[in-house]
C-alpha cells in the first residue's frame, strides 16, 4: 500500500545536514520510504491514500541512543541531600548511590519494572522518539540482568518504538564481589554474557571504563568476550578522567564511546579512523554540574560523528526529554541546532548500528518521521520544554502516542 504524505517541507538529515527539500512530499510503501522529493516532481499514479501535512516541517523520527530507562526505586531524595550539602561519598557510604538502585532493582518484580519503565518511555515517544536504546546494568547478577533485559525486549514488543537492547553488566561492582573486581569480570565474561546472549536478549555489550568502575584491561576482556559472541560493543568512557577508554573502544570498532568529557585529541583521531560515534550526554553534564567540556573542536576537526542522548537514569540524568537535550547540547556544548538534530537522527542511528536503515529520510529507509508545526528546524532546539504540536509516523503508519 502506497501512501502520499504531502504539503510539507522536509529536512532529510542525509549526510548529517539539514538537506532541506521545500514544498516536498514523501511516498511510503508499507514500512519503507518509496519516494521523496519536491512535490512538483511526483508521479501520483498508483497511490492508495493521501495525507495532507498542512505545511509542517518533517524530520526523521528522533533516536535516543543511550538510556538506562529500566530500574527500580527512586533517588530524588539523594538529589535533595546533595543540594543540602551532603557529598556523594557520604551518600554512598550510607548505602545510597548506585547501590541503592541495585537493591531496589533486584527486589522489584518484572511486572513492576515494566510498568515504571513504560511510563518513562511514553514521555519520550510523545516527543517524537521512534527508536530507543535501553541498557541493563542495575542488576549486576545473572538473574537480575536477565530480568532487566527481558523487560527491555517486552517494551520493544509492546510499544510503538524500535528498541535496541544493551547488556551493561560491567557497570559497577556488586556488593557480593566487593574488592574482587577481576573475579566479577570473570563472572561477566564466563557466565553472564554467554547465557544472556544465548537467550537472544542482547543486541550490544557496554561497560563503564573509569577509575571508580573498571580498568581498560578489564573492559578489554569484556570486549573480547562480546567479539567471540558476535556482539558489537559500546563504552562509557572519559566521563571523569582520561584512561584511554575511547581509544580502546575504537580498537574494537565500537559502535560508540559515550560521555567523553576527558577524551584527548588522540582519542578523537582513533575514533574517526574506526567510525566510532561520539555520544555526548548533556543531561549528566548539567545534573552533575560538571565543568570539563567534551573536546568539540577535536571531534569536529577529525570528523567524528557526534550523537546526543538523554542518558536517562535515576542517579545522574533523570531526563525525560530528548528535545531538551538538543537545547543543552547547543547551550552547554556550543553545538549548532543542525549538529544537534543530526545527533538525535543520523548519528544516533549510527551509534546503534542502524545507520543503513534509520536516522535520515531517504528512499529504502524505514518510514519513521515526525511532522512538526514549527517555523524552521532550529525550533526543535530553541524551545525549552513544552509539547510541540506534531504528527508522529512510525513504519509508515501514524502513531496515536
Amino acid at each position: 500500500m502506497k501512501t502520499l504524505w504531502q504539503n510539507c517541507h522536509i529536512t532529510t538529515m542525509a549526510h548529517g545536514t539539514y538537506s532541506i527539500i521545500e514544498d516536498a512530499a514523501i511516498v511510503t510503501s508499507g514500512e519503507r520510504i518509496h519516494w521523496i522529493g519536491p512535490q512538483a516532481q511526483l508521479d501520483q499514479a498508483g497511490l492508495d491514500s493521501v495525507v495532507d501535512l498542512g505545511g509542517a516541517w518533517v524530520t526523521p523520527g528522533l533516536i535516543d541512543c543511550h538510556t538506562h530507562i529500566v530500574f527500580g526505586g527512586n533517588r530524588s531524595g539523594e538529589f535533595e541531600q546533595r543540594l543540602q550539602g551532603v557529598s556523594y561519598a557520604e551518600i554512598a557510604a550510607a548505602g545510597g548511590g548506585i547501590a541503592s538502585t541495585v537493591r531496589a532493582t533486584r527486589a522489584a518484580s518484572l511486572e513492576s519494572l515494566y510498568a515504571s519503565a513504560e511510563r518513562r518511555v511514553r514521555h519520550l515517544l510523545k516527543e517524537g522518539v521512534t527508536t530507543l536504546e535501553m541498557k541493563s546494568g542495575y542488576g549486576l547478577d545473572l538473574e537480575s540482568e536477565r530480568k532487566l533485559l527481558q523487560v527491555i525486549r517486552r517494551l520493544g514488543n509492546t510499544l510503538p518504538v524500535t528498541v535496541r537492547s544493551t547488556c551493561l553488566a560491567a557497570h559497577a561492582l556488586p556488593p557480593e564481589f566487593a574488592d574482587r573486581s577481576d573475579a566479577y569480570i570473570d563472572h561477566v565474561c564466563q557466565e553472564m554474557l554467554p547465557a544472556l546472549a544465548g537467550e537472544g536478549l542482547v543486541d550490544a555489550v557496554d561497560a563503564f571504563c573509569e577509575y571508580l568502575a573498571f580498568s581498560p584491561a578489564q573492559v578489554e576482556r569484556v570486549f573480547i568476550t562480546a567479539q567471540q559472541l558476535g556482539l558489537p560493543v559500546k563504552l562509557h568512557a572519559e566521563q571523569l578522567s582520561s584512561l584511554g577508554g575511547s581509544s580502546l573502544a575504537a580498537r574494537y570498532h565500537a559502535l560508540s564511546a559515550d560521555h567523553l568529557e576527558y577524551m584527548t585529541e588522540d582519542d578523537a583521531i582513533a575514533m574517526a579512523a574506526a567510525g566510532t560515534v561520539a555520544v555526548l550526554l548533556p543531561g549528566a553534564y548539567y545534573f552533575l554540574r560538571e565543568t570539563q567540556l567534551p573536546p568539540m573542536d577535536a571531534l569536529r576537526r577529525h570528523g567524528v560523528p557526534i550523537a546526543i542522548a538523554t542518558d536517562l537514569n535515576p542517579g545522574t540524568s533523570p531526563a525525560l526529554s530528548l528535545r531538551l537535550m538538543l537545547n543543552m547540547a547547543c547551550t552547554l556544548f556550543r553545538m549548532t541546532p543542525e549538529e544537534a538534530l543530526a545527533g538525535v537522527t543520523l548519528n544516533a542511528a549510527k551509534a546503534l548500528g542502524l545507520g543503513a536503515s534509520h536516522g535520515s529520510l531517504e528512499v529504502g529507509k524505514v518510514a519513521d518521521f515526525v511532522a512538526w508545526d514549527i517555523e524552521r528546524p532550529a525550533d526543535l532546539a530553541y524551545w525549552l520544554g513544552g509539547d510541540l504540536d506534531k504528527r508522529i509516523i512510525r513504519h509508515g503508519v501514524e502513531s496515536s502516542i
Side-chain angles (χ1 to χ4, degrees):
M1 180 174 176
K2 291 182 181 177
T3 301
L4 167 62
W5 309 81
Q6 66 177 6
N7 189 16
C8 62
H9 311 292
I10 299 174
T11 173
T12 70
M13 299 315 297
H15 316 296
T17 62
Y18 281 150
S19 302
I20 288 171
I21 307 173
E22 300 274 8
D23 301 316
I26 302 174
V27 177
T28 58
S29 179
E31 298 183 351
R32 299 278 170 168
I33 297 173
H34 177 74
W35 184 91
I36 185 169
Q39 188 159 338
Q41 298 177 11
L42 172 66
D43 179 358
Q44 299 199 25
L47 296 175
D48 297 291
S49 61
V50 178
V51 180
D52 189 326
L53 294 176
W57 273 96
V58 175
T59 71
L62 306 187
I63 299 173
D64 195 351
C65 65
H66 180 132
T67 82
H68 307 253
I69 210 163
V70 185
F71 57 85
N74 181 299
R75 284 162 64 184
S76 61
E78 294 181 12
F79 174 63
E80 191 168 27
Q81 283 181 289
R82 290 201 303 274
L83 293 174
Q84 293 169 343
V86 183
S87 71
Y88 183 82
E90 291 171 319
I91 292 170
I98 191 173
S100 66
T101 299
V102 171
R103 286 196 303 274
T105 300
R106 288 179 172 183
S109 68
L110 188 149
E111 291 299 325
S112 67
L113 287 170
Y114 177 88
S116 63
E118 182 187 20
R119 290 194 296 272
R120 291 186 281 269
V121 170
R122 287 186 180 275
H123 283 284
L124 296 173
L125 301 191
K126 289 176 182 177
E127 285 203 326
V129 171
T130 56
T131 301
L132 184 59
E133 186 257 16
M134 305 183 202
K135 304 179 192 295
S136 66
Y138 288 121
L140 307 184
D141 62 32
L142 179 56
E143 178 184 353
S144 300
E145 288 291 297
R146 176 185 286 119
K147 179 171 62 175
L148 289 170
L149 293 166
Q150 288 172 338
V151 169
I152 291 169
R153 280 285 187 249
R154 181 174 166 187
L155 289 163
N157 290 333
T158 57
L159 294 176
V161 62
T162 298
V163 170
R164 303 299 283 176
S165 174
T166 301
C167 182
L168 180 58
H171 188 196
L173 195 61
E176 58 270 24
F177 281 88
D179 301 319
R180 296 189 298 131
S181 59
D182 280 328
Y184 179 64
I185 293 297
D186 286 341
H187 181 56
V188 168
C189 294
Q190 296 169 14
E191 306 293 334
M192 296 174 72
L193 286 178
L196 298 170
E199 293 166 23
L201 295 173
V202 183
D203 298 319
V205 173
D206 200 347
F208 189 15
C209 185
E210 194 55 76
Y211 68 89
L212 49 65
F214 299 104
S215 69
Q218 291 170 329
V219 167
E220 187 164 20
R221 289 162 57 196
V222 174
F223 281 3
I224 290 170
T225 300
Q227 193 174 62
Q228 291 169 345
L229 294 169
L231 294 169
V233 297
K234 304 167 70 69
L235 188 64
H236 289 59
E238 271 73 67
Q239 181 184 9
L240 305 171
S241 61
S242 179
L243 296 181
S246 44
S247 289
L248 170 64
R251 289 201 299 275
Y252 282 84
H253 296 278
L255 295 173
S256 71
D258 305 27
H259 286 292
L260 304 178
E261 283 88 337
Y262 286 84
M263 71 178 292
T264 66
E265 184 149 7
D266 285 344
D267 293 326
I269 292 169
M271 288 175 62
T276 297
V277 177
V279 178
L280 305 186
L281 305 171
Y285 179 91
Y286 165 83
F287 199 74
L288 294 173
R289 294 185 288 186
E290 296 288 355
T291 58
Q292 177 79 23
L293 287 167
M296 303 303 302
D297 289 344
L299 291 171
R300 291 186 180 112
R301 183 163 53 249
H302 298 291
V304 180
I306 301 171
I308 303 297
T310 61
D311 191 21
L312 198 168
N313 75 77
T316 62
S317 188
L320 295 172
S321 171
L322 182 59
R323 200 169 58 74
L324 180 59
M325 298 304 104
L326 296 181
N327 181 274
M328 287 187 175
C330 294
T331 56
L332 298 177
F333 296 165
R334 306 299 190 267
M335 294 178 70
T336 67
E338 184 176 42
E339 287 175 323
L341 186 56
V344 296
T345 54
L346 184 60
N347 290 340
K350 292 177 180 178
L352 298 180
L354 296 174
S357 57
H358 292 70
S360 62
L361 299 179
E362 301 177 75
V363 171
K365 285 198 169 186
V366 172
D368 287 354
F369 52 94
V370 185
W372 306 87
D373 183 11
I374 56 177
E375 295 185 22
R376 57 185 59 85
D379 284 4
L380 298 178
Y382 168 72
W383 291 106
L384 286 169
D387 184 14
L388 298 181
D389 291 337
K390 71 186 78 65
R391 299 171 73 170
I392 302 168
I393 293 83
R394 179 177 176 272
H395 288 190
V397 178
E398 189 160 0
S399 173
S400 60
I401 288 288

